[in-house]
Amino acid sequence: MILPTPHSAFSGAIWPAIPQSPAAALLAVLGQLAESQYLTKEQLDMARRPQVEALMDHASAQLPFWRHRLRAAGLDLKSRNQSALTMPEWNARWASLPILTRAEVQKLGEKLRVSKLPEGHGHIGESVTSGSSGRPVRIARSTLDYFYWQAFQLREHVWRGRDISGKFLSILRDERREKMDETVHLRPLPDWGAPASVVWPTGPSYLLDYRTPIAGLIQTICELKPDYICTFPSLLLEILRHARGEKIQLPPLIEAIGVGEASPPELAGLCREVWDAPLASTYTAAETGALAYQCLEGGRWHLQSEKSIIEVLDSEDQPCAPGETGRVIVTPLHNFAMPLLRYEIGDLATVGEGPCPCGRTLPILDAIPGRARDLLMLPSGELRPPYYGHGAVMKVSSIRQHQVIQTRRDHVCLKLVVAKPLTRDEESYVIKSASDALGSAFSVSIQYVDEILRSPNGKFAEFERRLEESNG
Ligand SMILES: [Zn+2]
């Protein structure tokens, strides 16, 4: 891949360019990542250790919860200084540190958040896991953590050999869309946006709101002729099926990029068949940013081990061997706003075995977690992304968890776990919001339940289609 010349800070200093900050800082990290992807496990452990220790010492200094846990594990500064720990000794102490569960993070809340960041880490913002859990976890994140995330986003462009001058179409949610109707909402943007456009001159991009019938999405793709399409895999599958079924010739594509959920098994093959293009899927989480990227050469996923310690553990909390599937435990290394040490993110993953044909030595996953989301079936039998007034449901504070089930072609049931019963007004508000979003073809009911279980792969489906009739 030949990357374009970065933006230069001075006129007459065109090539090699002298970038200004933050482009210079992003490129400097990207350069280090180009080296670290070839480290051996031992070299990686050694390089990463001071970063983990800085995070632990910061957590100990500010939060009693971590001070006690780290002292008990012998990982506080004093215990570490008493003996110069070899890496195996260090790793053994790390393995004795208890796993932090999502339930604990929800319960402890403020007790896991620091009041003061080290200098240069910026300010504290928040990420909320809503889309994939139904039971939100609120994570405080620093500006610096977000900066690292951007550097890793650049790395994915490099790994996938993307042509940054191409035309990029995202079919995702446009938060700025106000009117909900069945028309196409397309927003042209001058470039690919941060971080790519911060560093390089890029081609144009477009944001197409996904809340549009499939035929409208396809028509827009045909008119725009994008080089890259980034969207939910379930939606991509429906676009491809619809185009094939209706014999619509889609314009050629360089790469399809699936985000936000797992790719259905047949999707990569269908992308090849229809577009002769590869499918890229990424394992990310709202709490942590990117966890694993798929390399072009081997097609499997490499852990982003410079950004997080990612462990895959069996039911006895022992590391899984290649071929085994276990729980994903993550320690994000750069988020000092809310240090999460050995956080169980709620996903399952299958460990892969090297070497990879791409030559990178970062650990491998054979499969990335997640489940594809279901689409809503209209009375006509056509499929559409499920938009049902998610925002309204999240606004009612006594709703702890929700799941939306389509039970018939004209009926949708909202399953709710509540802290206290909803008032009549709250009930009508939730039902009206859902009815407005779904359209007049659907009736909506509420069902109160004690618990909503995750699927066997650990993922939670916010929307499911479980039609009682046989033609679903
Ligand atoms: Zn590889």
Side-chain angles (χ1 to χ4, degrees), residues 264-457:
E266 66 272 37
L267 185 57
L270 203 56
C271 278
R272 274 274 167 229
E273 186 192 320
V274 175
W275 273 317
D276 193 23
L279 170 75
S281 20
T282 299
Y283 176 27
T284 61
E287 298 99 311
T288 59
L291 293 168
Y293 289 144
Q294 191 177 22
C295 69
L296 208 49
E297 298 86 344
R300 293 185 295 168
W301 289 265
H302 288 281
L303 296 182
Q304 300 302 297
S305 301
E306 304 96 332
K307 190 169 186 301
S308 306
I309 300 178
I310 302 162
E311 303 168 78
V312 183
L313 303 182
D314 65 17
S315 53
E316 320 261 87
D317 286 350
Q318 295 303 307
C320 286
E324 290 178 353
T325 300
R327 296 133 58 222
V328 179
I329 312 293
V330 184
T331 305
L333 295 173
H334 305 105
N335 184 16
F336 282 44
M338 185 164 172
L340 297 175
L341 307 175
R342 305 195 88 210
Y343 168 59
E344 181 165 0
I345 201 156
D347 292 332
L348 296 180
T350 306
V351 175
E353 192 165 23
C356 182
C358 74
R360 299 183 182 99
T361 47
L362 293 170
I364 295 169
L365 295 181
D366 275 345
I368 56 165
R371 49 164 296 155
R373 74 181 69 187
D374 287 346
L375 298 182
L376 180 78
M377 184 176 282
L378 302 176
S380 64
E382 202 192 326
L383 296 172
R384 194 196 78 176
Y387 34 97
Y388 57 84
H390 172 267
V393 176
M394 300 290 281
K395 261 185 211 154
V396 179
S397 62
S398 35
I399 299 177
R400 284 297 150 81
Q401 197 180 6
H402 75 274
Q403 189 176 39
V404 180
I405 313 283
Q406 179 176 20
T407 55
R408 293 198 314 266
R409 282 196 182 188
D410 60 357
H411 185 81
V412 157
C413 173
L414 302 176
K415 286 180 150 191
L416 303 179
V417 179
V418 292
K420 61 177 175 22
L422 299 195
T423 64
R424 191 164 292 177
D425 281 352
E426 284 172 330
E427 269 191 2
S428 343
Y429 168 70
V430 167
I431 288 183
K432 182 170 184 319
S433 309
S435 304
D436 287 352
L438 288 160
S440 57
F442 292 91
S443 59
V444 178
S445 62
I446 286 181
Q447 185 192 0
Y448 294 100
V449 293
D450 293 332
E451 194 181 7
I452 298 172
L453 295 175
R454 285 167 176 272
S455 65
N457 69 2

Side-chain angles (χ1 to χ4, degrees), residues 162-346:
R162 290 188 185 134
D163 175 3
I164 306 286
S165 66
K167 201 188 273 186
F168 197 100
L169 171 67
S170 298
I171 310 178
L172 297 168
R173 189 187 177 91
D174 186 348
E175 298 295 345
R176 277 165 50 181
R177 175 173 179 175
E178 284 168 7
K179 196 158 154 253
M180 273 319 138
D181 50 25
E182 298 288 274
T183 58
V184 169
H185 282 250
L186 180 71
R187 191 141 60 90
L189 299 158
D191 51 43
W192 285 24
S197 63
V198 172
V199 177
W200 300 296
T202 77
S205 75
Y206 297 83
L207 175 58
L208 173 60
D209 191 278
Y210 80 99
R211 294 166 291 181
T212 296
I214 305 286
L217 300 178
I218 290 178
Q219 200 192 336
T220 311
I221 292 170
C222 291
E223 287 164 11
L224 268 181
K225 302 184 177 59
D227 297 303
Y228 297 93
I229 291 181
C230 172
T231 189
F232 308 116
S234 55
L235 193 53
L236 195 59
L237 185 66
E238 227 29 67
I239 288 170
L240 290 169
R241 277 186 181 152
H242 188 99
R244 200 171 53 170
E246 301 288 318
K247 301 199 165 45
I248 300 169
Q249 181 72 45
L250 292 174
L253 188 80
I254 299 177
E255 184 188 41
I257 303 161
V259 291
E261 60 185 39
S263 292
E266 66 272 37
L267 185 57
L270 203 56
C271 278
R272 274 274 167 229
E273 186 192 320
V274 175
W275 273 317
D276 193 23
L279 170 75
S281 20
T282 299
Y283 176 27
T284 61
E287 298 99 311
T288 59
L291 293 168
Y293 289 144
Q294 191 177 22
C295 69
L296 208 49
E297 298 86 344
R300 293 185 295 168
W301 289 265
H302 288 281
L303 296 182
Q304 300 302 297
S305 301
E306 304 96 332
K307 190 169 186 301
S308 306
I309 300 178
I310 302 162
E311 303 168 78
V312 183
L313 303 182
D314 65 17
S315 53
E316 320 261 87
D317 286 350
Q318 295 303 307
C320 286
E324 290 178 353
T325 300
R327 296 133 58 222
V328 179
I329 312 293
V330 184
T331 305
L333 295 173
H334 305 105
N335 184 16
F336 282 44
M338 185 164 172
L340 297 175
L341 307 175
R342 305 195 88 210
Y343 168 59
E344 181 165 0
I345 201 156

